[in-house]
Amino acid sequence: MTDRPILIAGRNGQLARCLLDLGAMRGLPVVALGRRELDLEDREGIDKLIASVAPAAIINTAAYTAVDQAESEAAKAFSINRDGAAALADVAWQMNIPLIHLSTDYVFDGAKPDAYDESDIPAPLNVYGASKLAGEAAVLAAHPLATVIRSSWIYSPYGSNFVRTMLRLCESQPIVRVVRDQHGNPTCAFDLAEAVLRIAERSVTDDRRATAGIFHLAGGGETNWYDFAQAIFDARSRRGERIPALEAITTEEFPTAARRPRNSRLDSSKAERVFGIRLAPWRHSLEACLDQLAGEGETNAEGNRAGWRQRNAPLSDHARRQQAVAPDL
């Protein structure tokens, strides 16, 4: 690596925060810019800001991720996920630096019975997925040597995600109802961040043609949302903590504005072949994440566990005592 920083587009998301943590642990020069500094809808501002940072590489974790809200805000979703991503890619290409762009399993419709590999034809079911798919194409058109990474079901001690939601519901609900007919690969954001940094370092030092293109990178193993919740509850129970009853429901029993794929499992074997990277099994990483969230120190005045900066994200206010969950990731 050079002395120039790695620029992370996005600052408050799970992956961005994990990248910052790992960059600090490794002593890597990492700069993360949030929307206030780096507005992906402001093309002129993007050019000037990135030129002032003069990064060695760009990792784009910034995105419009409100899956259901995107159904009524398609223009904004495409403006950020397609046009903003393309603007970053264009600047990186003009500066002759690597770009790593994060995408999603939601580019697929879930009709395939097996895990999706990079040769499968995407067919998103919702606006969010369509905007991210358009972003992939726009990024690769602007920066032919960019690396596009699709991941899935991301969780961490930070932000709003399925694991943190389940833990909050354990404190407040007697019954939690979770969909059982949607399948995928839970991915720990710390594992993904570690892999992304390794790819970034290789992109800076090696022939970028070897790292160009689309790669799937998700946690090892597969599950459904209900069994994922059961694993969280089981781990909590082993720690002697309260758990509510868990009830399986179907996708039809929890309608949402945006349709979700029934199968969004990702085959990550290409990334293993090319980069020598394979993410840990999701059950192993889940235990580590739960240990981190449980904390081994006192909470501070803001309610944060020692060693973690993010407060628990609030849940939607539900009048009923039975909570149903269909996650947005």
Side-chain angles (χ1 to χ4, degrees):
M1 291 292 291
T2 69
D3 292 333
R4 293 157 58 196
I6 296 173
L7 173 61
I8 302 170
R11 184 172 59 196
N12 297 318
Q14 299 182 75
L15 182 58
R17 297 189 68 169
C18 293
L19 285 166
L20 280 172
D21 286 348
L22 289 169
M25 290 169 58
R26 288 183 169 198
L28 294 175
V30 176
V31 175
L33 300 175
R35 186 175 181 184
R36 187 171 298 178
E37 302 88 9
L38 182 61
D39 186 349
L40 292 188
E41 295 184 281
D42 178 6
R43 173 56 196 267
E44 184 176 349
I46 291 174
D47 292 349
K48 291 180 179 179
L49 185 58
I50 294 179
S52 70
V53 175
I58 298 173
I59 301 173
N60 182 26
T61 70
Y64 181 109
T65 59
V67 178
D68 288 316
Q69 192 171 334
E71 295 298 305
S72 59
E73 292 186 350
K76 189 170 188 65
F78 275 86
S79 176
I80 295 171
N81 293 345
R82 179 192 61 196
D83 303 336
L88 279 179
D90 183 59
V91 173
W93 181 255
Q94 296 304 321
M95 295 179 69
N96 191 30
I97 60 175
L99 174 80
I100 298 175
H101 174 72
L102 274 296
S103 192
T104 175
D105 54 329
Y106 276 20
V107 300
F108 296 112
D109 63 8
K112 184 179 179 180
D114 304 315
Y116 285 93
D117 62 38
E118 294 82 356
S119 67
D120 288 316
I121 298 174
L125 296 177
N126 53 53
V127 169
Y128 166 71
S131 70
K132 292 296 288 182
L133 178 61
E136 294 179 2
V139 162
L140 291 171
H143 193 314
L145 297 181
T147 304
V148 174
I149 296 175
R150 294 174 181 152
S151 195
S152 64
W153 294 25
I154 296 174
Y155 67 91
S156 74
Y158 297 134
S160 178
N161 59 69
F162 186 76
V163 172
R164 286 168 60 88
T165 296
M166 291 297 103
L167 295 178
R168 287 292 292 267
L169 293 179
C170 284
E171 300 290 348
S172 61
Q173 302 294 332
I175 301 174
V176 177
R177 305 168 66 228
V178 181
V179 292
R180 197 174 197 170
D181 55 358
Q182 295 175 21
H183 299 261
N185 311 95
T187 304
C188 176
F190 277 104
D191 294 346
L192 181 60
E194 175 71 27
V196 168
L197 279 181
R198 285 177 59 185
I199 293 169
E201 291 175 299
R202 178 170 170 179
S203 298
V204 170
T205 58
D206 294 355
D207 185 343
R208 287 180 216 155
R209 289 174 294 183
T211 62
I214 297 174
F215 296 86
H216 292 175
L217 201 50
E222 60 187 55
T223 190
N224 59 70
W225 290 118
Y226 173 87
D227 288 342
F228 192 10
Q230 186 67 68
I232 297 166
F233 285 18
D234 289 347
R236 182 178 169 89
S237 179
R238 287 195 298 272
R239 290 167 171 82
E241 299 179 83
R242 175 193 179 276
I243 59 171
L246 185 61
E247 180 181 329
I249 61 174
T250 65
T251 296
E252 288 75 19
E253 291 177 278
F254 195 86
T256 54
R259 296 173 61 199
R260 270 75 168 168
R262 300 294 182 97
N263 170 38
S264 61
R265 292 173 294 160
L266 298 178
D267 180 339
S268 300
S269 58
K270 178 183 175 183
E272 185 173 5
R273 292 194 305 272
V274 174
F275 301 116
I277 292 172
R278 179 171 58 184
L279 301 193
W282 70 267
R283 290 184 183 274
H284 173 81
S285 295
L286 174 63
E287 289 289 340
C289 180
L290 291 173
D291 285 342
Q292 292 162 354
L293 278 165
E296 296 182 353
E298 298 296 325
T299 57
N300 63 21
E302 294 181 340
N304 298 333
R305 291 289 185 183
W308 305 106
R309 300 188 297 268
Q310 174 72 24
R311 296 183 67 183
N312 285 340
L315 292 172
S316 300
D317 182 24
H318 288 264
R320 64 185 183 275
R321 295 181 71 239
Q322 293 189 11
Q323 176 81 47
V325 177
D328 286 342
L329 299 178

